[in-house]
Coordinates of all heavy atoms in Angstrom, one line a residue:
L1 N -37.6 -17.3 107.4 CA -38.0 -17.3 105.9 C -39.5 -17.4 105.8 O -40.0 -18.4 106.3 CB -37.2 -18.4 105.2 CG -37.5 -18.5 103.7 CD1 -37.0 -17.2 103.0 CD2 -36.8 -19.7 103.1
G2 N -40.1 -16.5 105.3 CA -41.5 -16.5 105.1 C -41.9 -16.6 103.6 O -41.2 -16.1 102.7
T3 N -42.9 -17.4 103.3 CA -43.3 -17.6 101.9 C -44.7 -17.1 101.7 O -45.5 -17.2 102.6 CB -43.2 -19.1 101.5 OG1 -44.1 -19.8 102.3 CG2 -41.8 -19.6 101.6
G4 N -44.9 -16.6 100.5 CA -46.3 -16.2 100.1 C -47.0 -17.3 99.4 O -46.5 -18.4 99.4
I5 N -48.1 -17.0 98.9 CA -48.9 -18.0 98.1 C -48.3 -18.2 96.8 O -47.8 -17.3 96.1 CB -50.3 -17.5 97.9 CG1 -51.0 -17.4 99.3 CG2 -51.1 -18.4 97.0 CD1 -52.4 -16.7 99.2
V6 N -48.2 -19.5 96.4 CA -47.7 -19.8 95.1 C -48.8 -19.6 94.1 O -49.9 -20.1 94.2 CB -47.2 -21.3 95.0 CG1 -46.7 -21.7 93.6 CG2 -46.1 -21.6 96.0
T7 N -48.4 -18.8 93.1 CA -49.4 -18.4 92.0 C -48.8 -18.7 90.6 O -47.6 -18.8 90.5 CB -49.8 -16.9 92.0 OG1 -48.7 -16.1 91.8 CG2 -50.5 -16.6 93.4
K8 N -49.7 -19.0 89.7 CA -49.2 -19.3 88.3 C -49.5 -18.0 87.5 O -50.5 -17.4 87.6 CB -50.0 -20.4 87.7 CG -49.7 -21.8 88.4 CD -50.3 -22.9 87.7 CE -50.0 -24.2 88.4 NZ -48.8 -24.8 87.9
R9 N -48.4 -17.6 86.8 CA -48.5 -16.4 85.9 C -47.7 -16.7 84.6 O -46.8 -17.5 84.6 CB -47.8 -15.2 86.6 CG -48.6 -14.8 87.9 CD -48.0 -13.5 88.4 NE -46.6 -13.7 88.8 CZ -45.9 -12.8 89.4 NH1 -46.4 -11.7 89.8 NH2 -44.6 -13.1 89.8
P10 N -48.0 -15.9 83.6 CA -47.2 -16.1 82.4 C -45.8 -15.5 82.6 O -45.6 -14.5 83.3 CB -48.0 -15.3 81.3 CG -48.9 -14.4 82.1 CD -49.1 -15.0 83.4
A11 N -44.8 -16.1 81.9 CA -43.4 -15.6 82.0 C -42.7 -15.9 80.7 O -43.1 -16.8 80.0 CB -42.7 -16.3 83.2
V12 N -41.7 -15.1 80.4 CA -40.9 -15.4 79.3 C -39.8 -16.4 79.6 O -39.1 -16.2 80.6 CB -40.2 -14.1 78.7 CG1 -39.3 -14.4 77.6 CG2 -41.3 -13.1 78.3
V13 N -39.7 -17.5 78.9 CA -38.7 -18.5 79.1 C -38.0 -18.8 77.8 O -38.5 -18.5 76.7 CB -39.4 -19.8 79.7 CG1 -40.0 -19.6 81.0 CG2 -40.4 -20.4 78.7
K14 N -36.8 -19.5 77.9 CA -36.1 -19.9 76.7 C -36.3 -21.3 76.5 O -36.1 -22.2 77.4 CB -34.6 -19.6 76.9 CG -34.3 -18.1 76.8 CD -32.8 -17.9 76.4 CE -32.6 -16.4 76.1 NZ -31.4 -16.2 75.4
V15 N -36.7 -21.7 75.3 CA -36.9 -23.1 74.9 C -36.1 -23.3 73.6 O -36.4 -22.6 72.6 CB -38.4 -23.3 74.6 CG1 -38.6 -24.8 74.1 CG2 -39.2 -23.1 75.9
D16 N -35.1 -24.1 73.7 CA -34.2 -24.4 72.5 C -33.6 -23.1 71.9 O -33.6 -22.9 70.7 CB -35.0 -25.1 71.4 CG -35.4 -26.5 71.9 OD1 -34.7 -27.1 72.7 OD2 -36.5 -26.9 71.4
G17 N -33.3 -22.1 72.8 CA -32.6 -20.9 72.4 C -33.6 -19.8 72.0 O -33.2 -18.7 71.7
Q18 N -34.9 -20.2 71.9 CA -35.9 -19.2 71.5 C -36.7 -18.8 72.7 O -37.0 -19.6 73.6 CB -36.9 -19.8 70.5 CG -36.2 -20.3 69.2 CD -35.9 -19.1 68.3 OE1 -36.4 -18.0 68.5 NE2 -35.0 -19.3 67.4
E19 N -37.1 -17.5 72.7 CA -38.0 -17.0 73.8 C -39.4 -17.4 73.5 O -39.9 -17.3 72.4 CB -37.8 -15.5 74.0 CG -36.5 -15.1 74.5 CD -36.4 -13.6 74.8 OE1 -37.2 -12.9 74.2 OE2 -35.4 -13.2 75.5
A20 N -40.1 -17.8 74.6 CA -41.5 -18.2 74.5 C -42.2 -17.8 75.8 O -41.6 -17.6 76.8 CB -41.6 -19.7 74.3
I21 N -43.5 -17.6 75.7 CA -44.3 -17.3 76.9 C -44.9 -18.6 77.4 O -45.5 -19.4 76.7 CB -45.4 -16.3 76.5 CG1 -44.8 -15.0 76.1 CG2 -46.4 -16.1 77.7 CD1 -45.9 -14.0 75.6
A22 N -44.7 -18.9 78.7 CA -45.2 -20.1 79.3 C -45.8 -19.8 80.7 O -45.5 -18.7 81.3 CB -44.0 -21.1 79.5
I23 N -46.6 -20.6 81.2 CA -47.1 -20.5 82.6 C -46.1 -21.1 83.6 O -45.7 -22.2 83.4 CB -48.5 -21.2 82.7 CG1 -49.5 -20.7 81.7 CG2 -49.0 -21.1 84.1 CD1 -49.8 -19.2 81.8
R24 N -45.7 -20.3 84.6 CA -44.8 -20.7 85.6 C -45.3 -20.4 87.0 O -46.2 -19.5 87.1 CB -43.4 -20.0 85.4 CG -42.7 -20.4 84.2 CD -42.2 -21.8 84.3 NE -41.4 -22.2 83.2 CZ -41.8 -23.1 82.2 NH1 -43.0 -23.5 82.3 NH2 -41.0 -23.4 81.3
S25 N -44.9 -21.1 88.0 CA -45.3 -20.8 89.4 C -44.3 -19.7 89.9 O -43.1 -19.8 89.7 CB -45.2 -22.1 90.2 OG -46.1 -23.0 89.7
F26 N -44.9 -18.8 90.7 CA -44.2 -17.7 91.3 C -44.5 -17.7 92.8 O -45.7 -18.0 93.2 CB -44.5 -16.4 90.7 CG -43.9 -16.1 89.4 CD1 -44.6 -16.6 88.2 CD2 -42.7 -15.5 89.2 CE1 -44.0 -16.4 87.0 CE2 -42.2 -15.3 88.0 CZ -42.8 -15.7 86.8
V27 N -43.6 -17.3 93.6 CA -43.8 -17.2 95.1 C -42.9 -16.0 95.6 O -41.8 -15.8 95.1 CB -43.5 -18.5 95.8 CG1 -42.1 -18.9 95.8 CG2 -44.0 -18.4 97.3
Y28 N -43.5 -15.3 96.5 CA -42.7 -14.2 97.2 C -42.0 -14.8 98.4 O -42.6 -15.5 99.2 CB -43.5 -13.0 97.6 CG -44.0 -12.2 96.4 CD1 -45.2 -12.3 95.9 CD2 -43.1 -11.3 95.8 CE1 -45.6 -11.5 94.8 CE2 -43.5 -10.5 94.7 CZ -44.7 -10.7 94.2 OH -45.1 -9.9 93.2
L29 N -40.7 -14.5 98.6 CA -39.9 -15.0 99.7 C -39.5 -13.8 100.5 O -39.0 -12.8 100.0 CB -38.7 -15.7 99.3 CG -38.9 -17.0 98.4 CD1 -37.5 -17.6 98.0 CD2 -39.7 -18.0 99.2
A30 N -39.7 -13.8 101.8 CA -39.3 -12.7 102.7 C -38.5 -13.3 103.8 O -38.8 -14.3 104.4 CB -40.6 -12.1 103.3
L31 N -37.4 -12.6 104.1 CA -36.4 -13.1 105.1 C -36.4 -12.0 106.2 O -36.2 -10.9 106.0 CB -35.0 -13.3 104.5 CG -34.0 -13.8 105.4 CD1 -34.3 -15.3 105.8 CD2 -32.6 -13.9 104.6
S32 N -36.5 -12.5 107.4 CA -36.4 -11.7 108.6 C -35.2 -12.1 109.4 O -35.0 -13.3 109.6 CB -37.7 -11.8 109.4 OG -37.6 -11.1 110.6
Y33 N -34.4 -11.2 109.9 CA -33.2 -11.5 110.7 C -32.9 -10.4 111.6 O -33.3 -9.2 111.4 CB -32.0 -11.9 109.8 CG -31.6 -10.7 108.8 CD1 -30.6 -9.9 109.2 CD2 -32.3 -10.5 107.6 CE1 -30.2 -8.8 108.4 CE2 -31.9 -9.5 106.8 CZ -30.9 -8.6 107.2 OH -30.6 -7.6 106.4
D34 N -32.1 -10.7 112.6 CA -31.6 -9.6 113.5 C -30.3 -9.0 113.0 O -29.3 -9.7 112.9 CB -31.4 -10.2 114.9 CG -31.1 -9.2 116.0 OD1 -30.7 -8.1 115.6 OD2 -31.2 -9.5 117.2
H35 N -30.4 -7.8 112.5 CA -29.3 -7.1 111.9 C -28.1 -6.9 112.8 O -27.0 -6.6 112.4 CB -29.7 -5.8 111.2 CG -30.2 -4.8 112.2 ND1 -29.3 -3.9 112.8 CD2 -31.4 -4.5 112.7 CE1 -30.0 -3.2 113.7 NE2 -31.2 -3.5 113.6
R36 N -28.4 -7.0 114.1 CA -27.3 -6.9 115.1 C -26.4 -8.1 115.1 O -25.2 -8.0 115.5 CB -27.8 -6.6 116.5 CG -28.6 -5.3 116.6 CD -29.3 -5.2 117.9 NE -30.3 -6.3 118.0 CZ -31.1 -6.5 119.0 NH1 -31.0 -5.8 120.1 NH2 -32.0 -7.5 119.0
I37 N -26.9 -9.3 114.7 CA -26.2 -10.5 114.8 C -25.7 -11.0 113.4 O -24.6 -11.4 113.2 CB -27.0 -11.6 115.4 CG1 -27.4 -11.2 116.8 CG2 -26.3 -12.9 115.4 CD1 -28.4 -12.1 117.5
I38 N -26.6 -10.8 112.4 CA -26.4 -11.3 111.0 C -26.2 -10.1 110.1 O -27.0 -9.2 110.1 CB -27.5 -12.2 110.5 CG1 -27.7 -13.4 111.5 CG2 -27.3 -12.6 109.1 CD1 -28.9 -14.2 111.2
D39 N -25.1 -10.1 109.3 CA -24.9 -9.1 108.3 C -25.9 -9.2 107.2 O -26.2 -10.3 106.8 CB -23.4 -9.2 107.8 CG -23.1 -8.2 106.8 OD1 -23.5 -7.0 107.0 OD2 -22.3 -8.4 105.9
G40 N -26.4 -8.1 106.7 CA -27.3 -8.0 105.7 C -26.8 -8.7 104.4 O -27.6 -9.3 103.7
A41 N -25.6 -8.6 104.1 CA -25.0 -9.2 102.9 C -25.1 -10.7 103.0 O -25.4 -11.4 102.0 CB -23.5 -8.8 102.7
D42 N -24.8 -11.3 104.2 CA -24.9 -12.7 104.4 C -26.4 -13.2 104.2 O -26.7 -14.2 103.6 CB -24.4 -13.2 105.8 CG -22.9 -13.0 105.9 OD1 -22.2 -13.0 104.9 OD2 -22.5 -12.8 107.1
A43 N -27.3 -12.4 104.8 CA -28.7 -12.8 104.6 C -29.2 -12.7 103.2 O -29.9 -13.6 102.7 CB -29.6 -11.8 105.5
S44 N -28.7 -11.7 102.4 CA -29.0 -11.6 101.0 C -28.5 -12.8 100.2 O -29.2 -13.4 99.4 CB -28.5 -10.3 100.5 OG -28.7 -10.2 99.1
R45 N -27.2 -13.2 100.5 CA -26.6 -14.4 99.8 C -27.4 -15.6 100.1 O -27.6 -16.4 99.2 CB -25.2 -14.5 100.2 CG -24.2 -13.6 99.5 CD -22.8 -14.0 99.7 NE -22.4 -13.7 101.1 CZ -21.9 -12.5 101.5 NH1 -21.8 -11.5 100.7 NH2 -21.5 -12.3 102.8
Y46 N -27.9 -15.8 101.3 CA -28.7 -16.9 101.7 C -30.0 -17.0 100.9 O -30.4 -18.0 100.3 CB -29.0 -16.9 103.2 CG -30.1 -17.9 103.6 CD1 -29.7 -19.3 103.7 CD2 -31.4 -17.6 103.8 CE1 -30.7 -20.2 104.0 CE2 -32.3 -18.5 104.2 CZ -32.0 -19.8 104.3 OH -33.0 -20.7 104.6
L47 N -30.7 -15.8 100.8 CA -31.9 -15.7 100.1 C -31.7 -16.0 98.6 O -32.5 -16.7 98.0 CB -32.6 -14.4 100.3 CG -34.1 -14.3 99.9 CD1 -34.9 -15.3 100.6 CD2 -34.6 -12.9 100.3
V48 N -30.7 -15.5 98.0 CA -30.4 -15.8 96.6 C -30.1 -17.3 96.4 O -30.5 -17.8 95.4 CB -29.2 -14.9 96.1 CG1 -28.6 -15.4 94.8 CG2 -29.6 -13.4 96.1
A49 N -29.4 -17.9 97.3 CA -29.1 -19.3 97.2 C -30.4 -20.1 97.2 O -30.6 -21.1 96.5 CB -28.2 -19.8 98.3
V50 N -31.3 -19.8 98.1 CA -32.6 -20.5 98.2 C -33.4 -20.3 96.9 O -33.9 -21.2 96.3 CB -33.5 -19.9 99.4 CG1 -34.9 -20.4 99.3 CG2 -32.8 -20.3 100.7
K51 N -33.4 -19.0 96.4 CA -34.1 -18.7 95.1 C -33.5 -19.6 94.0 O -34.3 -20.2 93.2 CB -33.9 -17.3 94.8 CG -34.5 -16.9 93.4 CD -34.1 -15.4 93.2 CE -34.2 -15.0 91.7 NZ -33.2 -15.6 90.9
N52 N -32.2 -19.6 93.9 CA -31.6 -20.4 92.8 C -31.9 -21.9 92.9 O -32.1 -22.5 91.9 CB -30.0 -20.1 92.8 CG -29.7 -18.7 92.4 OD1 -30.5 -18.1 91.7 ND2 -28.5 -18.3 92.7
R53 N -31.8 -22.4 94.1 CA -32.2 -23.9 94.2 C -33.6 -24.1 93.9 O -33.9 -25.2 93.3 CB -31.9 -24.3 95.6 CG -30.4 -24.5 95.9 CD -30.2 -25.4 97.0 NE -28.8 -25.7 97.2 CZ -28.3 -26.6 98.0 NH1 -29.1 -27.3 98.7 NH2 -27.0 -26.7 98.0
L54 N -34.5 -23.3 94.2 CA -35.9 -23.4 93.9 C -36.1 -23.4 92.4 O -36.8 -24.2 91.8 CB -36.8 -22.4 94.6 CG -37.0 -22.6 96.1 CD1 -37.7 -21.4 96.7 CD2 -37.7 -23.9 96.4
E55 N -35.5 -22.4 91.7 CA -35.6 -22.3 90.3 C -35.0 -23.4 89.5 O -35.5 -23.9 88.5 CB -34.9 -21.0 89.8 CG -35.7 -19.7 90.2 CD -35.0 -18.5 89.8 OE1 -33.8 -18.5 89.4 OE2 -35.7 -17.4 89.8
E56 N -33.9 -24.0 90.0 CA -33.3 -25.1 89.4 C -33.8 -26.5 89.8 O -33.4 -27.5 89.3 CB -31.8 -25.0 89.6 CG -31.1 -23.8 89.1 CD -29.7 -23.6 89.6 OE1 -29.2 -24.5 90.3 OE2 -29.0 -22.6 89.2
C57 N -34.7 -26.5 90.8 CA -35.1 -27.8 91.4 C -33.9 -28.6 91.9 O -33.9 -29.8 91.7 CB -36.0 -28.6 90.5 SG -37.5 -27.7 90.1
N58 N -32.9 -27.9 92.5 CA -31.7 -28.5 92.9 C -31.7 -28.8 94.4 O -31.2 -28.1 95.2 CB -30.5 -27.6 92.6 CG -29.2 -28.2 92.9 OD1 -29.1 -29.4 93.2 ND2 -28.2 -27.4 93.0
F59 N -32.4 -29.9 94.8 CA -32.6 -30.2 96.2 C -31.7 -31.4 96.6 O -31.6 -31.6 97.8 CB -34.0 -30.6 96.5 CG -35.0 -29.6 96.0 CD1 -35.9 -29.9 94.9 CD2 -35.1 -28.3 96.5 CE1 -36.8 -29.0 94.5 CE2 -36.0 -27.4 96.0 CZ -36.8 -27.7 95.0
G60 N -31.0 -32.1 95.7 CA -30.2 -33.2 96.0 C -29.1 -33.0 97.0 O -28.8 -33.9 97.9
P61 N -28.2 -32.0 96.8 CA -27.0 -31.9 97.7 C -27.3 -32.0 99.2 O -26.5 -32.6 99.9 CB -26.5 -30.5 97.3 CG -26.9 -30.3 95.9 CD -28.3 -30.9 95.8
N62 N -28.4 -31.4 99.7 CA -28.6 -31.4 101.1 C -29.5 -32.7 101.5 O -29.6 -32.9 102.7 CB -29.3 -30.2 101.6 CG -28.3 -29.0 101.6 OD1 -27.1 -29.2 101.7 ND2 -28.9 -27.8 101.7
L63 N -30.0 -33.4 100.5 CA -30.8 -34.5 100.9 C -30.0 -35.9 100.7 O -30.6 -36.9 100.9 CB -32.1 -34.6 100.0 CG -33.0 -33.4 100.2 CD1 -34.1 -33.5 99.2 CD2 -33.5 -33.3 101.6
G64 N -28.8 -35.8 100.3 CA -27.9 -37.0 100.2 C -28.1 -37.7 98.9 O -27.8 -38.9 98.8
Y65 N -28.6 -37.1 97.8 CA -28.8 -37.9 96.6 C -27.5 -37.8 95.8 O -26.8 -36.9 95.7 CB -29.9 -37.3 95.7 CG -31.3 -37.4 96.3 CD1 -32.1 -36.4 96.5 CD2 -31.7 -38.7 96.7 CE1 -33.4 -36.5 97.1 CE2 -33.0 -38.9 97.3 CZ -33.8 -37.8 97.5 OH -35.0 -37.9 98.0

């Protein structure tokens, strides 16, 4: 899993049901794997799971909280 530089950019977010423009951090994630051993669908699900945890700041389950 490779990460790019974290940059701040404007993004549309929902605040109390209303859309607003806010500054958010963005990063590009790249995944490299051997397609002979790992199915592309499994690799994609893994990358989506990482993305979702980063967006939700959901780190507790694997850290024992």
Side-chain angles (χ1 to χ4, degrees):
L1 178 64
T3 60
I5 295 173
V6 178
T7 59
K8 292 186 181 270
R9 296 187 299 188
V12 176
V13 297
K14 285 204 174 194
V15 178
D16 298 327
Q18 299 285 340
E19 291 184 342
I21 297 176
I23 303 298
R24 293 289 185 255
S25 295
F26 286 85
V27 66
Y28 286 103
L29 300 175
L31 184 63
S32 176
Y33 61 95
D34 187 342
H35 65 88
R36 296 171 295 179
I37 300 170
I38 299 173
D39 183 33
D42 292 333
S44 178
R45 280 191 288 274
Y46 169 76
L47 194 54
V48 168
V50 169
K51 173 189 164 289
N52 289 338
R53 284 201 176 191
L54 288 172
E55 287 178 347
E56 297 169 2
C57 295
N58 183 13
F59 309 114
N62 285 342
L63 297 177
Y65 295 126

